[in-house]
Amino acid sequence: MATFAQMDANGDGQISREEFMFGMMDANHDGQISCEEFQAAMGGAIPATTYAAPATTYAAPATTYAAPGTGMMMEPVTAGYAAPATTYAAPAATYAMPATTYAMPATTYAEAMPAMTYAAPAGTSAGATCTNCGNVFM
């Protein structure tokens, strides 16, 4: 185990979290953490890595040859079943608009219209001339 002075890397008289963790991992106290020290601190050993070509076996595929069979061949079988004939058609329908009569209701007036007489204004005679445009009215 490292001494207090070895773990207090910055010499401030206190061991910080980082200094404590580094001191716990640096087993040989050389100021560096090697791969072996790191793996030991993590609780596991370094797995051995082996590089080798995979084993490959080449061989001809297994093939079996035999004479063709002498059994009889079956003739194609046709089924005597057919789906029933189906006819599709739209249902017979007649579409017509119902007869509708539109009429205005009869209006009855209670009083008879007064008799009207149309005549030229008093004081004019046939052949009067307009003072603005000069047209002659008959």
Side-chain angles (χ1 to χ4, degrees), residues 107-138:
T107 304
T108 305
Y109 295 101
E111 295 179 20
M113 296 282 294
M116 295 281 209
T117 304
Y118 296 99
T124 60
S125 61
T129 304
C130 178
T131 57
N132 290 329
C133 63
N135 288 338
V136 177
F137 295 101
M138 303 259 176

Side-chain angles (χ1 to χ4, degrees), residues 80-86:
Y81 172 77
T86 304

Side-chain angles (χ1 to χ4, degrees), residues 24-122:
M24 295 299 291
M25 293 174 96
D26 188 16
N28 62 2
H29 308 294
D30 63 352
Q32 297 179 352
I33 298 175
S34 66
C35 186
E36 290 80 14
E37 289 172 327
F38 181 80
Q39 288 294 328
M42 293 295 123
I46 300 172
T49 305
T50 305
Y51 297 100
T56 305
T57 304
Y58 296 100
T63 305
T64 303
Y65 295 100
T70 57
M72 41 183 231
M73 298 289 279
M74 291 187 63
E75 293 295 322
V77 177
T78 56
Y81 172 77
T86 304
T87 304
Y88 296 99
T94 304
Y95 298 100
M97 187 171 166
T100 305
T101 304
Y102 296 100
M104 192 169 160
T107 304
T108 305
Y109 295 101
E111 295 179 20
M113 296 282 294
M116 295 281 209
T117 304
Y118 296 99

